[in-house]
Amino acid sequence: MSSYKSNLFIGLGNQYGTSSSAIYKYDGIDWTQTLSSEFYNVESISASTARTSLVAGFRGGEIWELPFVNSLPTSWRKIYTLDSDKIHAITDDSTGNYLFLCGDSKASIYIKSTDSFKSVTKFDKTITGLNKTWSKYATYADSYRDWE
């Protein structure tokens, strides 16, 4: 479930035992089905300021988005394949410059400035093009910067 541009979106999976899924939109008055798919489940759904869209991850690793133009939804399209069976999280950073995708076997990052996806296959500060800063506070904070 996610909200974006004054609409509530809900992803449903395995509808009526048919191994299909759908995403519905509630605009405050009516429920409208915005996407019907053959995927078994909608694993994650999130608003993205980095892509100016609603982003959904499906079981099997496909990532789709519903772009918005002038606050109005256009049509769903596939934007990436994460190569994971399950999608655990889709989230933006606080600046809206990155979109993080996390699956059961892979993590990727969309970088707005280069309009590209990069895979993180090993979580190590020595990865070329990945500068990771760790700051210790009462809680913790990770930040990623200077993507190449």
Side-chain angles (χ1 to χ4, degrees), residues 29-92:
I29 299 170
D30 296 312
W31 285 98
T32 306
Q33 185 173 353
T34 64
L35 178 68
S36 177
S37 81
E38 297 298 316
F39 296 106
Y40 181 77
N41 198 23
V42 179
E43 297 281 314
S44 186
I45 188 167
S46 180
S48 173
T49 54
R51 295 200 50 94
T52 316
S53 65
L54 185 75
V55 180
F58 293 91
R59 177 99 188 248
E62 287 198 8
I63 308 297
W64 286 59
E65 77 173 347
L66 178 61
F68 280 71
V69 176
N70 298 324
S71 296
L72 297 173
T74 56
S75 59
W76 285 96
R77 64 182 179 195
K78 179 182 168 185
I79 58 170
Y80 191 68
T81 300
L82 191 58
D83 296 328
S84 291
D85 182 43
K86 294 190 175 207
I87 308 297
H88 296 298
I90 298 173
T91 187
D92 270 359

Side-chain angles (χ1 to χ4, degrees), residues 124-140:
D124 187 343
K125 67 179 181 180
T126 61
I127 297 173
T128 303
L130 174 62
N131 294 319
K132 183 175 180 180
T133 303
W134 175 269
S135 300
K136 181 75 174 163
Y137 299 102
T139 58
Y140 71 90

Side-chain angles (χ1 to χ4, degrees), residues 1-20:
M1 180 180 346
S2 183
S3 62
Y4 192 63
K5 303 287 185 183
S6 301
N7 294 289
L8 175 66
F9 292 88
I10 296 178
L12 302 174
N14 195 20
Q15 291 185 312
Y16 312 109
T18 62
S19 297
S20 63

